[in-house]
Amino acid sequence: MKRVLVTFMLVFALVLTSSFLQPATAKSVYCAQKCKGRCSKAGLMNRCIKYCELCCAKCKCVPSGTYGNKHQCPCYRDLKNSKGKPKCP
């Protein structure tokens, strides 16, 4: 009886955790693809991608093109760093 209960709990935990991880993975793939395009012409590409992905995760959007077009995503446009300058590339 204990084995059945333990097996059931393990299967339940596995199903529960996989259902939470799937949307996060899908979102990060979306952000990674959008930010790769957004930062394709950046001088410091790794830094651009890092901040773009942070902004994308919070705002769930990335403006089109490699520069400008921030009016397409107001949340992305309005995020500021600690110095009051735009956080998102």
Side-chain angles (χ1 to χ4, degrees), residues 21-38:
L21 293 176
Q22 190 173 5
T25 304
K27 183 171 64 172
S28 64
V29 169
Y30 167 80
C31 289
Q33 290 174 345
K34 290 289 193 176
C35 290
K36 185 178 178 183
R38 178 84 177 165

Side-chain angles (χ1 to χ4, degrees), residues 46-71:
N46 288 339
R47 184 182 299 175
C48 179
I49 289 174
K50 174 186 172 183
Y51 286 104
C52 180
E53 287 182 352
L54 286 172
C55 294
C56 178
K58 185 166 187 164
C59 297
K60 297 174 182 49
C61 64
V62 176
S64 63
T66 56
Y67 185 79
N69 301 319
K70 290 188 178 181
H71 64 279

